[in-house]
Amino acid sequence: MIKVEAVFWLIGILFIAWAFLISRDTSHPKRWGSSAFWGLLGLCFFYGSWVQANTAPAWVLGVAVLVLVVLASTGPLGDGKSRTTSEAERTAFAARFGNKLFIPALTLPVVTVIIVLLAPVLKVGGQPLFDPANTTLLALAVGAIAAAVVAVVLLKPKNKLTPIFEGRRILESIGWAALLPQMLSTLGILFTKAGVGKAVGTLATGVLPEGSLIAAVIVYSVGMFLFTVLMGNAFAAFPIMTAAIGWPVLVQGFHGTPAIIFAIGMLAGFCGTLCTPMAANFNLVPSALLEMKNKYGVIKAQVATAVPLLAANIGLMYFLAFN
């Protein structure tokens, strides 16, 4: 059975490979700091598997995370001159291949969906080929590998390791912000364990008009929006606002339908995703890849969609979730 650890190890190998390339780049202004940062991150993916299996102490991983924070905040990271094509070469490739350039990008979701759908029947010796607990993540990893292979076969680069070199270029252009999704995804769990959800619930119920359904819906939806803006991740905001308002007030108090409330609540949170630089993978990465002059240009373009969509989600929750 292919388990999720295989994905983590593959990611760790990639980070270590990029760290090695950076360390070999003598023209890199901060090669040792950058190499140490990405290399240590890669090792964490391996060590984390041992921590999860209870075969290694977790405090070592905690120390490694603190070292990563120090490296990211004190300035030893930089953007080197990775091996890549020139603007003229890219223009020539675009003219030559045209819409075929989209084939590798589309390969990833297509392969992922196919594997997810076929996973229940993909068995070896009566055992599932992919771990049922993490089928989607495993399918996504296979899809990414398939997309890289298709890109190499289709584009026929001179160097077959071009995906590794381009991966390093993109990673360094993003910098430490590439870690934000990982960090923020755990923030909601920490806040919930610390009792933030209960504290927010106490404050919210103190100001909510008694018996006002529309006020409760607005507070829950806007709260999802604002916490997502602050934390950069609707999945991190969800346990806080659900513990504070969603479950005790909307479900238990007003007898709403949980599936509808929580699904639309997540959509309200995603409206916040469109408006925050904390959601680096959505809003800062595209700016870096497109080399936009304003790194917040993506956010500015999305605000006009996010705010009306938030209002629409409030209306949908109010009219659909309560009989």
Side-chain angles (χ1 to χ4, degrees):
M1 180 187 296
I2 302 175
K3 297 186 178 182
V4 72
E5 283 78 10
V7 178
F8 296 148
W9 296 341
L10 175 61
I11 296 172
I13 290 172
L14 285 173
F15 277 119
I16 292 172
W18 290 325
F20 176 75
L21 290 175
I22 293 171
S23 69
R24 300 276 293 177
D25 184 2
T26 56
S27 64
H28 197 298
K30 299 179 179 180
R31 63 168 171 158
W32 295 119
S34 294
S35 178
F37 181 87
W38 299 115
L40 180 59
L41 179 61
L43 292 174
C44 286
F45 279 90
F46 289 96
Y47 192 84
S49 296
W50 301 327
V51 172
Q52 185 66 26
N54 295 319
T55 58
W59 67 265
V60 176
L61 194 59
V63 171
V65 171
L66 294 177
V67 172
L68 290 174
V69 172
V70 171
L71 289 173
S73 59
T74 55
L77 271 68
D79 190 355
K81 300 296 182 182
S82 56
R83 191 182 310 175
T84 186
T85 54
S86 65
E87 185 175 347
E89 288 174 320
R90 293 177 189 176
T91 301
F93 268 115
R96 175 184 173 188
F97 291 101
N99 290 333
K100 290 182 180 179
L101 290 173
F102 291 101
I103 293 177
L106 294 174
T107 298
L108 193 156
V110 170
V111 172
T112 301
V113 171
I114 291 174
I115 292 178
V116 169
L117 294 176
L118 294 180
V121 298
L122 292 176
K123 297 182 178 182
V124 177
Q127 295 293 323
L129 179 61
F130 298 99
D131 184 0
N134 296 282
T135 301
T136 303
L137 183 57
L138 291 167
L140 180 62
V142 175
I145 295 172
V149 172
V150 169
V152 171
V153 172
L154 178 67
L155 302 178
K156 296 181 174 62
K158 295 179 181 178
N159 191 330
K160 302 304 180 183
L161 294 179
T162 294
I164 303 296
F165 297 129
E166 287 298 306
R168 175 213 161 177
R169 180 182 66 83
I170 294 172
L171 183 69
E172 286 205 282
S173 67
I174 300 169
W176 64 265
L179 272 66
L180 272 177
Q182 266 188 296
M183 298 293 186
L184 296 174
S185 65
T186 63
L187 197 57
I189 300 173
L190 293 176
F191 276 20
T192 302
K193 292 289 186 181
V196 174
K198 292 182 179 179
V200 172
T202 301
L203 292 173
T205 52
V207 300
L208 277 175
E210 186 175 354
S212 176
L213 173 60
I214 184 62
V217 169
I218 290 174
V219 169
Y220 179 60
S221 300
V222 173
M224 280 293 300
F225 177 91
L226 293 177
F227 268 95
T228 301
V229 169
L230 293 173
M231 304 169 74
N233 194 314
F235 291 97
F238 182 77
I240 296 174
M241 289 308 302
T242 298
I245 304 295
W247 183 259
V249 178
L250 295 180
V251 176
Q252 294 184 320
F254 289 101
H255 307 291
T257 304
I260 298 176
I261 292 171
F262 300 147
I264 298 177
M266 285 296 293
L267 290 176
F270 294 151
C271 293
T273 302
L274 299 175
C275 302
T276 176
M278 296 295 285
N281 51 329
F282 288 104
N283 300 328
L284 298 185
V285 170
S287 299
L289 295 180
L290 297 173
E291 300 179 354
M292 297 173 63
K293 293 181 179 179
N294 185 350
K295 65 178 181 179
Y296 301 118
V298 172
I299 296 174
K300 290 183 177 180
Q302 293 174 163
V303 169
T305 299
V307 175
L309 189 57
L310 174 62
N313 286 324
I314 292 173
L316 288 172
M317 186 183 299
Y318 180 77
F319 288 109
L320 298 179
F322 305 92
N323 297 322

